Amino acid sequence: MFKKILVANRGEIAVRVIRTAKEMGIATVAVYSELDREALHVRLADEAYALGGQTAAESYLNTDAILNALTLSGADALHPGYGFYSENTDFARAIGEIGVTFIGPPPEAIEVMGDKISSRIAATKAGVEGVPGTVEVIKSPDEVIAFGEEFGWPVAIKAAYGGGGRGMRVVNSPQEAAQALESAQREAEKAFGRSESYIERYLTWPRHIEMQIFCDNFGNAIWLGERDCSCQRRHQKLIEESPAPNFDDSVRQRMGEAAIKVARACGYRNAGTVEFLFQDGEFYFLEMNTRLQVEHPVTEAITSLDLVELQIRIAAGEPLGITQDQIKRSGHAIEIRINAEDPSGGKFLPSPGTITKFTAPNGFATRLDAGYIQGDTVSQFYDNLVGKVIVWGKDRESARRRMVRALDEIQIEGILTTIPAQQILLEKADFINATHSTKWVEGVEELKSLKVARPTSTDDQGNEVVARDVTAEVNGKRINVRLYLPEIATSVTSAPLAPGRKGAASPRSRSHAHGATGGSGKISVPMQGTIVKVSVNVGDKVDAGDTVCILEAMKMENAILADKAGEVTEVKVKPGDTVGTGDIVVVIS
């Protein structure tokens, strides 16, 4: 068994892995960016090493910095979590080349399945058919148009190297193809370090159902059960559950067997998830995620298996220790993702900031997996997943009611979250009757009228001498030190100061959201972030609703729109500029 595991990730998945490793008696190592010095995963680990930088590219996607942390720490294994480098073939190979075990599949399997194009080819060879789509990288918008004309609109552009809805764009007409392809490739490059994309038919009312599989080094392979992840916005999941409701067991068995065929086709080992689209009684291979999934706790809840522990044991060379007929599933589990987003109007805009209050739900069969606690800051530079609430019930309805109760208990202040939207969705008849699909959320009328108040906070002042636990770094290694210092008055606002901006940020009116400034022509941004594209120049004529620039925040691109027709008289930003909530970016006369 391993002596020390480095977790090359952050947030709730890093916390999740660290906890299981500690329970197994394995020492843990965290890595952190400049913005994550006091993050929960850093505080929980036995050791922590600085990666430097603020953005993901400068820190958690910095191979040299992570390899250096491995050398300094002496860790003999690395867990990649999900996102970042979890599905990067070159990174997995680099880890193996220095004699450290990568807790995941072999690089060859990542290469086949991490690339969504080659995974489609492999699945087809294994006898598992996918949704009609291309098996070549898109070279130009003309290919998107040609595919749409042949198979019908809409079509989906998808990142070849990634998942979680990042780098995916739905194209409804030939006129949208060029802009959609550019946006998808740009987002994929930032999220996964690769911009390659492919095209796929976009089904009309599908359910997203995925199968959890495990393979060991001795030829054993099992499927643990399926998860229904159909409740999504922007192709990213809001609510997940297991088992899938209204899902015939014969289909379940066939899907499990198909998932194993796909895994064996690429010589897979460790944890993996084979994703399918399900419509009209038929399922189609979508992709394989060669890593642990965000929603893995619902499978844990119904099987009583620790999937992270299974990952670690398989990577250490142990056999699975369980056969297909020994897997027992009981009850029903539901998970909601707590994302730092403003769900007002159903827009789900990023809402970075400092968490001023975080009260967890409790009770029977209720679990919280979080990467933050009260006082922590959710940065614009990373994914906006704050945590997850997972509940179990003897059946689906009891689990649903337990989740409704848990969400009534949880209290989070200082940021806006997706919880108000999820409370609405859990009570909708479509969800209760399981007649929803991946396209359902956008049509829920109650979300369109939802208004969530902006968070506010007050000054925390005092002059007492108090003990402070602070962090020092010696040769890149984190060391905790306790100092006795005067309490320093602080001021925290609902709009944190963006890096590179001078002065204290101040709260802005909600009337500035998404360029909606009452037709004044002074187009502002609704949250702090980075300008990645400016679509207009001084002198251009625009119509209300035209995109004037693209703002990236929390790994998501947001179109900032003109609020009236007219002529552009000022452009106050350029690509790469960091802006704060309410900043004016374009003026229209």
Side-chain angles (χ1 to χ4, degrees):
M1 183 50 65
F2 305 118
K3 294 181 179 179
K4 188 182 292 187
I5 293 175
L6 184 146
V7 184
N9 217 298
R10 65 179 303 279
E12 62 86 21
I13 183 54
V15 171
R16 169 75 183 86
V17 175
I18 288 168
R19 284 173 171 159
T20 287
K22 284 180 172 253
E23 292 167 9
M24 297 176 69
I26 302 171
T28 56
V29 181
V31 291
Y32 59 96
S33 69
E34 292 292 332
L35 298 177
D36 277 342
R37 288 179 179 277
E38 298 301 324
L40 182 58
H41 75 283
V42 176
R43 301 197 292 269
L44 290 180
D46 297 305
E47 299 176 36
Y49 292 83
L51 297 173
Q54 296 186 42
T55 66
E58 296 168 342
S59 54
Y60 299 102
L61 291 174
N62 185 335
T63 302
D64 289 340
I66 294 173
L67 292 177
N68 183 56
L70 279 168
T71 301
L72 292 173
S73 67
D76 53 348
L78 177 144
H79 196 300
Y82 36 68
F84 293 139
Y85 273 150
S86 62
E87 295 182 284
N88 188 292
T89 306
D90 294 337
F91 181 75
R93 285 203 175 104
I95 298 306
E97 287 171 358
I98 64 170
V100 174
T101 300
F102 182 80
I103 301 176
E108 295 76 17
I110 298 176
E111 195 161 37
V112 173
M113 289 298 167
D115 174 353
K116 304 305 184 273
I117 296 174
S118 63
S119 70
R120 290 172 60 89
I121 297 172
T124 300
K125 289 181 178 178
V128 182
E129 293 298 326
V131 178
T134 61
V135 292
E136 295 180 352
V137 173
I138 305 172
K139 301 295 184 183
S140 76
D142 292 339
E143 297 174 39
V144 179
I145 295 171
F147 185 88
E149 295 297 330
E150 179 179 356
F151 291 95
W153 303 94
V155 301
I157 297 173
K158 306 183 76 173
Y161 297 91
R166 308 295 186 195
M168 178 177 173
R169 296 292 183 273
V170 177
V171 189
N172 295 289
S173 67
Q175 292 73 28
E176 297 177 12
Q179 183 175 344
L181 178 59
E182 178 189 357
S183 178
Q185 291 174 332
R186 183 171 58 240
E187 187 173 83
E189 177 70 34
K190 290 180 180 295
F192 311 115
R194 299 286 295 267
S195 64
E196 293 93 327
S197 302
Y198 68 100
I199 320 169
E200 198 170 76
R201 178 189 165 201
Y202 196 56
L203 297 180
T204 55
W205 199 254
R207 290 168 64 186
H208 180 133
I209 298 179
E210 60 190 29
M211 188 65 66
Q212 177 71 63
I213 63 100
F214 269 88
C215 304
D216 65 15
N217 299 307
F218 304 93
N220 302 308
I222 57 174
W223 55 272
L224 300 184
E226 83 284 0
R227 297 183 288 255
D228 190 319
C229 308
S230 302
C231 192
Q232 305 177 4
R233 51 75 181 91
R234 287 197 303 268
H235 317 293
Q236 296 172 39
K237 302 159 189 174
L238 282 168
I239 304 173
E240 298 114 346
E241 58 184 312
S242 185
N246 299 338
F247 194 63
D248 191 80
D249 190 60
S250 64
V251 179
R252 177 178 296 110
Q253 296 292 328
R254 288 193 293 115
M255 184 179 285
E257 292 165 3
I260 295 299
K261 286 181 182 179
V262 171
R264 291 192 184 282
C266 64
Y268 201 82
R269 294 197 300 273
N270 215 276
T273 301
V274 183
E275 300 193 348
F276 300 91
L277 290 180
F278 178 71
Q279 182 171 295
D280 300 326
E282 297 295 329
F283 60 83
Y284 306 90
F285 173 78
L286 182 61
E287 62 187 29
M288 183 176 188
N289 287 311
T290 56
R291 53 174 168 81
L292 197 67
Q293 291 280 93
V294 177
E295 57 273 20
H296 75 273
V298 294
T299 299
E300 294 181 324
I302 66 166
T303 62
S304 298
L305 295 171
D306 184 330
L307 302 196
V308 174
E309 180 180 354
L310 270 177
Q311 281 194 293
I312 294 172
R313 292 194 179 282
I314 291 172
E318 295 184 14
L320 269 169
I322 186 172
T323 60
Q324 190 65 56
D325 59 0
Q326 291 176 320
I327 297 168
K328 305 299 180 185
R329 294 178 288 274
S330 65
H332 198 95
I334 299 176
E335 171 185 292
I336 69 104
R337 301 191 188 193
I338 306 170
N339 291 81
E341 297 178 20
D342 179 359
S344 297
K347 293 180 179 179
F348 296 97
L349 299 177
S351 177
T354 297
I355 300 172
T356 57
K357 183 177 183 179
F358 197 157
T359 303
N362 285 301
F364 179 74
T366 302
R367 165 180 167 182
L368 173 70
D369 281 15
Y372 299 84
I373 61 173
Q374 186 170 307
D376 289 349
T377 297
V378 183
S379 170
Q380 61 148 317
F381 289 107
Y382 309 122
D383 187 272
N384 58 20
L385 181 64
V386 175
K388 307 171 301 196
V389 178
I390 307 99
V391 301
W392 176 92
K394 62 183 179 181
D395 52 36
R396 186 173 188 260
E397 180 57 16
S398 62
R400 187 192 69 84
R401 290 197 303 266
R402 181 161 289 139
M403 181 62 80
V404 170
R405 185 270 303 164
L407 295 189
D408 283 340
E409 285 186 18
I410 194 169
Q411 296 181 22
I412 301 177
E413 297 178 4
I415 59 171
L416 297 181
T417 74
T418 48
I419 290 175
Q422 287 151 330
Q423 289 175 307
I424 291 173
L425 298 175
L426 286 166
E427 298 282 16
K428 293 290 293 179
D430 289 336
F431 182 84
I432 293 172
N433 298 324
T435 56
H436 60 298
S437 84
T438 59
K439 303 180 182 181
W440 170 65
V441 170
E442 284 78 1
V444 175
E445 290 299 322
E446 290 90 336
L447 295 184
K448 297 176 183 178
S449 58
L450 177 63
K451 294 182 180 180
V452 183
R454 282 281 177 188
T456 59
S457 58
T458 58
D459 289 346
D460 179 18
Q461 298 180 345
N463 296 307
E464 294 182 37
V465 175
V466 296
R468 285 180 175 271
D469 291 322
V470 298
T471 301
E473 287 175 13
V474 180
N475 294 328
K477 182 176 181 179
R478 172 192 172 94
I479 297 176
N480 292 322
V481 181
R482 173 162 290 187
L483 300 177
Y484 290 87
L485 299 169
E487 181 78 40
I488 300 173
T490 61
S491 176
V492 181
T493 74
S494 62
L497 182 64
R501 301 183 72 231
K502 297 181 179 180
S506 58
R508 303 306 210 280
S509 165
R510 279 185 49 76
S511 65
H512 290 293
H514 220 47
T517 54
S520 69
K522 294 181 179 180
I523 311 304
S524 64
V525 294
M527 79 286 289
Q528 62 178 351
T530 302
I531 301 296
V532 296
K533 181 180 180 181
V534 177
S535 304
V536 296
N537 297 302
V538 172
D540 287 352
K541 303 289 185 181
V542 296
D543 291 323
D546 285 353
T547 298
V548 297
C549 64
I550 303 292
L551 175 75
E552 182 187 56
M554 293 177 149
K555 288 184 166 182
M556 292 186 289
E557 290 193 352
N558 303 273
I560 307 302
L561 310 178
D563 66 343
K564 71 173 188 178
E567 180 179 332
V568 176
T569 56
E570 285 186 79
V571 176
K572 296 176 172 288
V573 292
K574 62 182 182 301
D577 284 355
T578 298
V579 293
T581 305
D583 284 355
I584 305 297
V585 292
V586 171
V587 177
I588 301 169
S589 65

